[in-house]
Amino acid sequence: MIVMGIESTAHTFGVGIVDNGKVLADVRSRYIPKKGGILPREVAEYFSSVAGSSVREALASAGIGIKEVNAIGIALGPGMGPQLRIGASVARVISAKYGIPLVPVNHAVAHIEIGRYVTELKDPVVLYVSGGNTIITTYVEGRYRVFGETLDIALGNLLDTFARDVGIGPPYIIDGNHVVDVCAESGKYIKGFPYVVKGQDVSLSGLLTAAENYARNGKELSDICYTLREVSFSSVAEVTERCIAHTNKKELLLTGGVAANKVLNKKLEVLSSERGIDYRPVPFRYAGDNGVMIALTAWFEFQSGITIRPEDAYIEQRWRLDEVEIPWYYLMGQGS
Ligand code: AMP
Ligand code: MG
C-alpha cells in the first residue's frame, strides 16, 4: 500500500511517500528567515511556491504516478494557520481530483509514531521536544496521555530565541549542532538561574529572561549558554524520569527536532541506564519536520479505517495530542 504524506505545520513543506512502511520519497523545503523569527504569511507564500514541485518531485523520486497512491495523509495541526492551510489545500485538491482517500494526521502524533516505527520501541515513555512543543507523554488506554509539558515556551524555541536575541543565530544549527551548544563548549555553570518544575510541568520563559539579563549585563556568553542548556535539559529530564517511575514503562523514546541534540541524548542515556530501561532517539534524519512521518502515521491510520472527507478536512491550529485515538498502537508495536 502506497501512502503520501504532506507536512506544512511550521517551517518545512514536506512530501513523503511510503510503500508498506518503506520510504520511497522524502522531499523537504525548509523556510529559513533571513533575520528574525518565522512570519507565518511569508512562510505560507514560500510553501505555495514549492508545493506543486515538491509533490511532482516526490512522485518522480518514488518512480510512481499519482494514481498509484492509495491514501494521502495530511497534517491538519497543531501548527500555524497560514502554513497549515497550504498543505491542507494541496491535499484536499489531490484527494478530490483523483479520488484518493484523505487521512487526517496530528503532527505531534506523527513525531512520536515515526520514532516508534523506526526505533522499534513498542510502548515507550516519549519525550517530544521541538521548536513548538515540549511534551512528556506515553500511551495509556487508547491515547497518548500528556504527563507533563511546558507551561510557556518550547525547548527548541528557548534555544533559538536566546541565540537570536544575543546575536549568535540564525542559522541556529551548524553541522548538526545548535549554536547554543557550540557557544557552550568552554562554558562553566553559573549558579542562580531559575529551574522551574511545577508538578509535572516545566516553565522555560523565566530562564530565557534570566539568561538574556545576564547577557545584557556582560556575563560570559559561553557560561550563559552552558547554564541555559544545563538547566533546561535537566528540568525536562526530571519530568521524563518521573513519568517512567509512575508508569513503570521499560522504554524511552526521544523525538522532535531537539532530539538531534547530543547533550540531551547523553543525559537521557545516563538516566535510562541507571533505571535499566531501553533508550532510543529518533534517527537524526527524522528528528525535524518531514513528510515521511505524516505518510507513515497515515498508513497506520488508514489500516485502522480512519479517513476524512476533503470538505471536512479543516485545519486545527491547537489540535492536542491527547485528543487523538490511537487504535493502531499495538498494530505498529508488532513491527508490521
Ligand atoms: P521541528 O520543529 O520538529 O522541526 O524542530 C525544530 C527545532 O529543533 C528548532 O527549534 C531547532 O533549533 C531544534 N534543533 C535542531 N537540531 C538541534 C540540535 N542539534 N540541538 C538542539 N536543538 C536542535
Ligand atoms: Mg515538529
Side-chain angles (χ1 to χ4, degrees):
M1 185 189 299
I2 298 183
V3 182
M4 174 184 280
I6 297 179
E7 157 62 33
S8 75
T9 62
H11 45 65
T12 296
F13 191 90
V15 181
I17 300 178
V18 299
D19 182 5
N20 287 329
K22 184 170 173 281
V23 178
L24 299 185
D26 182 1
V27 175
R28 309 177 194 192
S29 306
R30 195 190 168 108
Y31 177 83
I32 299 168
K34 285 179 195 70
K35 57 175 196 229
I38 283 189
L39 291 172
R41 269 171 220 298
E42 256 177 39
V43 192
E45 237 168 73
Y46 168 74
F47 280 6
S48 8
S49 74
V50 297
S53 56
S54 300
V55 172
R56 277 194 298 276
E57 194 186 328
L59 289 168
S61 98
I64 58 167
I66 188 74
K67 291 183 178 150
E68 289 170 73
V69 174
N70 301 108
I72 300 177
I74 175 63
L76 290 177
M80 302 183 200
Q83 293 99 305
L84 283 167
R85 273 181 213 107
I86 304 295
S89 308
V90 171
R92 279 194 294 255
V93 165
I94 300 176
S95 167
K97 177 158 185 210
Y98 297 98
I100 304 170
L102 195 58
V103 181
V105 177
N106 177 292
H107 176 87
V109 169
H111 268 296
I112 297 170
E113 294 307 61
I114 194 167
R116 219 156 54 89
Y117 186 77
V118 178
T119 63
E120 295 184 353
L121 289 178
K122 291 187 167 46
D123 185 25
V125 164
V126 182
L127 174 56
Y128 162 38
V129 275
S130 67
N133 287 285
T134 299
I135 294 179
I136 296 92
T137 181
T138 195
Y139 177 92
V140 180
E141 293 178 359
R143 295 184 189 195
Y144 285 110
R145 311 288 169 171
V146 176
F147 273 72
E149 61 190 321
T150 178
L151 295 170
D152 36 59
I153 55 174
L155 189 56
N157 192 7
L158 168 75
L159 301 174
D160 298 350
T161 305
F162 179 75
R164 186 177 74 222
D165 291 349
V166 300
I168 55 175
Y172 302 121
I173 310 299
I174 296 168
D175 294 334
N177 294 311
H178 201 282
V179 286
V180 168
D181 282 313
V182 179
C183 171
E185 227 154 75
S186 57
K188 294 182 299 298
Y189 191 76
I190 308 170
K191 284 199 185 120
F193 273 50
Y195 178 104
V196 186
V197 175
K198 292 183 184 164
Q200 277 293 96
D201 295 323
V202 297
S203 161
L204 301 170
S205 67
L207 180 59
L208 175 62
T209 308
E212 287 180 348
N213 284 339
Y214 274 99
R216 218 168 290 126
N217 294 329
K219 263 266 191 226
E220 177 63 41
L221 202 53
S222 61
D223 294 347
I224 302 174
C225 285
Y226 181 89
T227 311
L228 176 77
R229 183 180 73 187
E230 197 56 29
V231 170
S232 59
F233 287 7
S234 297
S235 63
V236 296
E238 178 191 328
V239 178
T240 304
E241 183 163 23
R242 239 186 280 153
C243 179
I244 297 165
H246 274 305
T247 58
N248 206 20
K249 295 213 180 183
K250 305 295 177 211
E251 299 169 333
L252 174 60
L253 170 68
L254 175 64
T255 195
V258 187
N261 191 280
K262 296 192 182 89
V263 178
L264 182 59
N265 269 279
K266 190 75 211 162
K267 266 197 196 311
L268 298 176
E269 248 170 63
V270 170
L271 179 163
S272 301
S273 83
E274 280 173 359
R275 288 198 156 264
I277 66 168
D278 192 354
Y279 167 68
R280 297 180 200 176
V282 71
F284 182 74
R285 67 182 183 287
Y286 294 129
D289 292 353
N290 63 84
V292 172
M293 69 185 194
I294 307 300
L296 264 178
T297 308
W299 174 47
F300 278 95
E301 289 186 37
F302 194 59
Q303 292 175 78
S304 307
I306 300 171
T307 57
I308 192 167
R309 294 189 314 172
E311 58 270 36
D312 296 332
Y314 298 113
I315 63 157
E316 224 180 310
Q317 295 187 55
R318 297 184 194 287
W319 189 9
R320 280 184 61 92
L321 173 65
D322 51 10
E323 289 169 18
V324 185
E325 297 279 353
I326 317 285
W328 65 87
Y329 191 70
Y330 294 108
L331 179 66
M332 180 184 278
Q334 287 160 10
S336 298

